[in-house]
Amino acid sequence: MTAKILTKRRAAAVAGGALLALSPLVTQTAVAAQPEPTVTAQGAALMDGDSGETLYGKDADTVRPMASTAKIMTAYVVLDKGPDLDRQVPVKQEYRDYVTQHSTSTADLQTGDKLTVRQLLYASLLPSGADAGYALADTFGIGATSEERAESFVDQMNAKADELYLPKTEFDSFDGVGTDSSTPTELAKLAQHAMTNDTFRTVVATKQYKGEAPAANGRTRYYTWNNTNQLLGSYDGVIGIKTGTTTPAGECLVFAATREDKTLVGTVLNSTDRYGDAAKILDYGFGTDTAKDMKLRKLPANAQRD
């Protein structure tokens, strides 16, 4: 396995309308009588989850590393295929070796266990398991080897970014361990599209998942995965979505919240207080003042951090 799963670089823009723009126009709108929040994030964006209108931005069109928020696209590509979510996928030792090689977060999948595609989505999006991400890429990619299939899956991620008209978004891994990058605005757009899928929406709104899988020895393995997104359960109305942390990217968060009939989707990239930043931005969008009283949901001591 190479240090990174690389893919051919795409052109930054495609002329002549070759790409279908699902949200070609983004309108900047102001939130009345509400001062813009001051956040620690280097880049941030907030949009209306239904209309796609931009409500707030800070260097929102600047390309930055996205870390494990790349797994949003991993899940979206899989779900867009309309897969059999109950299909069983055997866990390969290669998936565990990949985690060790890259020192990434893990769902601690055990070699020989058989997990369903649905379970792998939980394992990838809640504890941010790179082993689960690899299993999905290996299962839905094309090629003679696991590495080839993973590389082709990353190509599919980039093709989907083109389809969604995200010209500044580029993936070179299935889990964000590479130089995967996007802008706050484009990452929010991606999240907006992903949240239209019922399964994705259910998974990212889950604080803790408990499940079982057939083990290699014929017995039953029990798994528990906690959602690394501590904004979930801490800020009223939050329904997801995904954390991400690497040294180049800093702390990142893609988030969504619904209050009454209003849904907001946002991103913070390279933050030193991602949950506080997100809460302030959501307050701005909702016209409320609750961030200052927020108390973060605590994760179990043995939970993954991302």
Side-chain angles (χ1 to χ4, degrees):
M1 195 71 177
T2 58
K4 291 187 292 184
I5 302 292
L6 298 178
T7 185
K8 300 181 181 67
R9 297 187 63 85
R10 299 175 293 117
V14 177
L19 298 181
L20 175 61
L22 297 185
S23 299
L25 297 177
V26 178
T27 305
Q28 183 77 29
T29 59
V31 179
Q34 188 86 350
E36 287 199 351
T38 300
V39 298
T40 67
Q42 296 298 306
L46 182 71
M47 66 171 51
D48 185 290
D50 295 318
S51 69
E53 290 183 322
T54 298
L55 305 175
Y56 168 80
K58 176 182 178 182
D59 288 334
D61 298 316
T62 299
V63 175
R64 298 184 185 281
M66 69 171 83
S68 288
T69 64
K71 294 187 181 82
I72 295 172
M73 181 62 95
T74 301
Y76 186 60
V77 168
V78 169
L79 289 169
D80 196 51
K81 296 176 181 291
D84 175 3
L85 295 174
D86 295 319
R87 172 184 175 183
Q88 289 188 326
V89 177
V91 176
K92 299 178 182 179
Q93 182 62 36
E94 290 168 86
Y95 308 157
R96 294 180 59 84
D97 293 343
Y98 181 88
V99 168
T100 301
Q101 180 183 0
H102 296 284
S103 300
T104 62
S105 50
T106 178
D108 197 24
L109 305 183
Q110 298 298 303
T111 302
D113 287 4
K114 294 180 179 178
L115 281 81
T116 66
V117 172
R118 189 192 312 275
Q119 288 176 318
L120 290 174
L121 289 167
Y122 277 98
S124 175
L125 293 170
L126 268 61
S128 199
D131 44 359
Y134 195 175
L136 289 169
D138 188 21
T139 300
F140 292 96
I142 300 170
T145 66
S146 294
E147 187 168 359
E148 288 177 0
R149 289 189 290 273
E151 185 173 343
S152 81
F153 185 85
V154 176
D155 286 339
Q156 294 177 47
M157 294 168 70
N158 282 315
K160 184 60 66 176
D162 285 342
E163 182 183 323
L164 298 178
Y165 195 64
L166 307 176
K168 293 183 178 180
T169 299
E170 185 154 4
F171 300 95
D172 73 355
S173 75
F174 50 76
D175 63 338
V177 74
T179 58
D180 311 77
S181 59
S182 185
T183 70
T185 296
E186 291 193 3
L187 201 49
K189 285 183 182 180
L190 170 59
Q192 179 193 16
H193 288 293
M195 290 293 279
T196 63
N197 182 279
D198 290 342
T199 299
F200 182 90
R201 205 163 53 245
T202 297
V203 171
V204 298
T206 302
K207 297 174 189 174
Q208 185 183 77
Y209 173 88
K210 291 186 176 183
E212 58 186 57
N217 60 7
R219 298 181 179 180
T220 299
R221 183 93 59 194
Y222 297 92
Y223 286 98
T224 299
W225 298 309
N226 292 282
N227 198 322
T228 59
N229 177 13
Q230 290 177 264
L231 196 65
L232 189 66
S234 302
Y235 184 94
D236 183 36
V238 169
I239 54 176
I241 299 175
K242 185 72 186 75
T243 59
T245 306
T246 61
T247 299
E251 293 187 1
C252 303
L253 180 67
V254 180
F255 54 93
T258 297
R259 289 186 178 180
E260 297 181 353
D261 60 348
K262 187 176 186 178
T263 297
L264 302 176
V265 179
T267 58
V268 290
L269 299 180
N270 201 344
S271 169
T272 59
D273 182 18
R274 59 184 165 186
Y275 301 118
D277 286 348
K280 289 178 184 178
I281 292 170
L282 285 170
D283 267 358
Y284 177 69
F286 287 125
T288 56
D289 186 26
T290 59
K292 65 182 185 301
D293 299 319
M294 182 179 69
K295 294 183 179 180
L296 282 182
R297 172 177 61 92
K298 293 184 178 180
L299 295 176
N302 62 346
Q304 291 291 299
R305 267 67 175 176
D306 177 37

